[in-house]
Amino acid sequence: MIPGRPRPLHRPARAVTALVIGAGHAGLAMGHHLAQRGIDHVILERGEVANAWRRERWDSLRLLTPNWQCRLPGQPYPGPDPEGFMGMPALIALLEGYARRLASPIHTGTRVTAVRAMDGGYRVETDRGTWHCRALVIATGATQLPVVPALAEALPPWIESLTPLAYRHPSQLPPGGVLVVGAAATGVQLADELQRSGRQVTLAVGEHLRLPRRYRGRDIQWWLEQAGLLDQRFDEVEDIARARRAPSPQLVGGPSPRDLDLNALSERGVRLVGRLAGLSGTRLQFAGSLAMHCSAADLKLARLLDNLDAWALAHGWHDALPAPERPAPTRLPARPRLGLDLAAGEIKTVLWATGFRPDFSWLQVPVFDARGRLRHHGGVVEHAPGLYAMGLPFLRRRKSGAIHGADDDARELADHLAARLAGASTGGRAPRRPEAALPAP
Amino acid sequence: MQTATQAIDNGVNVTALLGAREALAQAPEAARFTWRAHCDWVMGTHSRVAVEAFHGLGETQQHRQRFTFDVDHPAVFAAEDHGPTPVEYVLVGLAGCLTAGIAAVAQHRGIQLRSIRASVEGSMDIQGILGMDPEVRNGFDDIRVVYEIDADASRAEIEALVAQSQKRSAVYDLLTNPTHVMVSVK
């Protein structure tokens, strides 16, 4: 190819058995397992390896999982600081190194523009040519599009309104107060950072998950992993739709471990208000449900710690660890504010930490429910043979959304994919089912 | 771990409720309900409100009977006190809604209830409704609900019942979130 000139438009489609879209941790993990099974495949990546971690995260972000937990298929954490928390440069280096050692061909700078079903597989159109494949794995990430309530459109024009995808550091915001909407991991981290930058932060709090960074001398992730909670499967939980909607826990990774719950934020001066419920003219309205949401989160945390203590007792850890403790209940303002007039000038910026969703706009296959969510059974997309998803919240296990969650999911989905290919190539005979819990491929 | 199963009966048909949830997932339009009340003014601050029909599951539904409610104000408002005040009916609605929710959640969680009592208080500064001070709102500035629950459950389980009931309560939602209200004249 001549540098600086576009590739010819009329190239014949290339054929590959399996195609993975996305070279983040989930796509790379799938590449590892496909390579292990000798399945011919490629990984297409719109930008570079670990693209979203490079371009769509704020500067100070660190992973919520300690380094020792950042395992990839065939690779334990290789660095010198197992108890630390990776920032973005370290994570990008980790994924780059992993990608280099991977046998998978990775086509970077290749943006998928459309995927369509075709006889015996899928047709994948990109800005650098077309591919045909028999199996397709979507590993494009769960957090590509910010979810912002409709009332954001009605904010007065003098209010700066931005999402975490556009946020990098506090100095990018105008001076003055900030309303952070949402108290999951993103919301509490940005509220903390902005309050430390000298701005008065108001935090609108709805349903949330409170977690301590450390419990009885161990990182909370150690507990969740050891007690088996992270391995809990999608077909074991009572209401998987609800489990997949759960907000990310109020955690932060940092040079030294610390809690980042609502009490820590209040102590720093952040003002707590209820869920953002409405906007009437220039007046923001907050729900009167702050006490309920905080009490529910405190109760849920107490139940979790009770279960962890019971697990420690049953598994011989109890005497080896410091005594059980309980965090103080969430402290609330006596009368949380129910309204805030944006015309008063107190708030200059609204930051929407109201969640994210994946972007499947390129997927021209009827695999969505009435609300536009991908219909899948543990990552096996329904009514679309050979189509798989990776890296979505609680895809197959509670840990599915985390870096270390990709290995088990990729292994099982690669098995399913391989069984399907084998079945198809032997004249459609019923393939061996690798796992009882999976639907017939 | 408890293995013995006892029949828990709080008089709530959870199976029917869960069945309804499943059926409505298939036919979401049937989940649209409209509740209705009809009010006739009697005299002074005294009105009589009737409730009989509502719309849901795709058709008009009837209560077992027509219910009527007298609404008035007490003597300190220079009225004749033919019935509770409108704001007291709001407290009635909140208490009824949260308590029904507690019973349903307890049944679903296998918790036998023996008694539930709730005290509900709403406080307001009547300088608002009297138009004396534009800074004072008309409605409640605080609502407090205190539950006393006797059940075969730990305190934490009981608190969790109360929390879950708030999370799924229509009246709690109405009181804690803004609602679009349109009043017109025919």
Side-chain angles (χ1 to χ4, degrees), chain A residues 93-108:
Chain A
L94 180 87
L95 293 176
E96 269 182 335
Y98 188 74
R100 269 198 305 276
R101 289 187 291 279
L102 212 58
S104 309
I106 304 174
H107 295 238
T108 54

Side-chain angles (χ1 to χ4, degrees), chain A residues 207 238-239 242 245 275 277-278 285-293 295-296 299 303 306 334-335 338, chain B residues 21 108-109 123 137 141-142 144 155-157 159-164 166-168 172-173 175-178:
Chain A
E207 191 175 340
E238 195 183 333
D239 187 343
R242 182 181 297 179
R245 281 199 305 268
R275 196 177 64 83
Q285 299 167 313
F286 303 112
S289 53
L290 180 62
M292 180 266 282
H293 285 306
S295 146
L299 285 163
R303 274 204 302 279
D306 286 347
R335 288 263 172 84
L338 299 171
Chain B
R21 218 177 101 151
H108 184 45
R109 295 186 179 177
S123 42
R137 73 182 282 185
D141 46 38
D142 241 340
R144 295 169 297 278
R155 182 176 174 88
E157 287 168 329
E159 285 179 356
L161 289 182
V162 175
Q164 183 62 23
Q166 290 168 75
K167 207 173 139 184
R168 289 280 160 262
Y172 179 89
D173 169 68
L175 288 171
T176 54
N177 288 300

